[in-house]
Amino acid sequence: MYVDVYHWYKYFVILIFLLSLQLFFHKFIYDQMIITKSEFSLSSPNIQLCPKDTKPEYAFIGRSNVGKSSLINMLCNHKNLAKTSATPGKTLLINHFIINNEWYLVDLPGYGFAKRSKTVQKKLEQMITSYILQREQLVNVFVLIDIRHDPQAIDVDFINWLGQSNIPFSIVFTKADKLSASKVVPAATAYMDKLKETWEELPPYFITSSETKRGRDEILDYIENINKTLNQ
């Protein structure tokens, strides 16, 4: 009888351990976003021609040559999803990519490209402004900042405009691999400290590298948590 109880207890302990292990891995896996499908949907010259469904949209924008296409490809683990180019300022339309058939990643034209004509630049500004202010499906704007540079007026002005317009946004520092490891966090901290001069509450920020995939999980988890909130 003692032996039976002992073996029963031993198996019970093992069972509890395995169940706990299963719950741990279930939480670890399912609390993280796994992108199983990412594909181009369409390009639009204005919001009237954007997708008609109600899936949430997450827009990515930044100055030309900030590494936006490389970041998008890294996030989606799809090398050629967004077209990269040696010539900055090539994105001239609102580009929608459907992710897991659940949400859209939106690639917006970059701002501040000096070689564009004034006519083209004005048209793009109107396109960006109308999308950000009028697109009901827009959930969050990710503003990309090259971590190697001090705060630029054009970026700070855009960030302030988002805040004044009550648009939810986050900051994504790109090209972290271009700095030495010891300079990355101080550079991001210094940038956010600069924003404190005009902001009472700072927006979320992420440090990324398209080369090392740094920040990928953090951004995708951020999007996943928002999506879960929207579905409640």
Side-chain angles (χ1 to χ4, degrees), residues 64 86-90 92 111-121 124:
S64 299
T87 304
K90 283 293 187 179
L92 301 176
Y111 53 82
F113 186 54
K115 292 184 179 181
R116 292 184 181 130
S117 68
K118 291 184 178 179
T119 302
V120 172
Q121 188 64 38
L124 290 177

Side-chain angles (χ1 to χ4, degrees), residues 58-62 140-144 169-170 172 206 219 222-223:
Y58 297 84
F60 288 72
I61 190 172
N140 189 81
V141 176
F142 290 97
V143 182
L144 276 57
F169 73 95
S170 312
V172 177
F206 306 89
I219 292 177
Y222 184 70
I223 294 174

Side-chain angles (χ1 to χ4, degrees), residues 145-184:
I145 302 293
D146 189 329
I147 198 171
R148 299 173 296 177
H149 305 314
D150 293 332
Q152 304 293 308
I154 190 171
D155 292 319
V156 175
D157 289 346
F158 183 73
I159 289 170
N160 289 338
W161 174 75
L162 289 173
Q164 293 163 4
S165 303
N166 295 316
I167 303 298
F169 73 95
S170 312
I171 293 176
V172 177
F173 292 105
T174 63
K175 304 185 180 184
D177 57 286
K178 304 301 183 183
L179 287 180
S180 62
S182 61
K183 294 182 178 180
V184 172

Side-chain angles (χ1 to χ4, degrees), residues 33 35 38 60 68-78 81 99 103 105 142 144 172 208 210 213-220 223:
M33 177 183 290
I35 294 181
S38 57
F60 288 72
K68 176 160 54 70
S69 295
S70 296
L71 177 73
I72 290 172
N73 292 338
M74 180 269 284
L75 289 175
C76 298
N77 201 25
H78 192 155
L81 184 64
I99 310 298
W103 56 278
L105 186 156
F142 290 97
L144 276 57
V172 177
T208 70
S210 297
K213 295 189 176 183
R214 178 176 181 171
R216 180 178 187 269
D217 290 342
E218 289 81 357
I219 292 177
L220 293 181
I223 294 174

Side-chain angles (χ1 to χ4, degrees), residues 47-48 126 128-138 167:
I47 63 171
Q48 286 74 27
Q126 292 174 344
I128 293 170
T129 300
S130 62
Y131 173 82
I132 291 177
L133 295 182
Q134 300 176 30
R135 184 67 172 167
E136 294 181 359
Q137 294 88 332
L138 177 63
I167 303 298

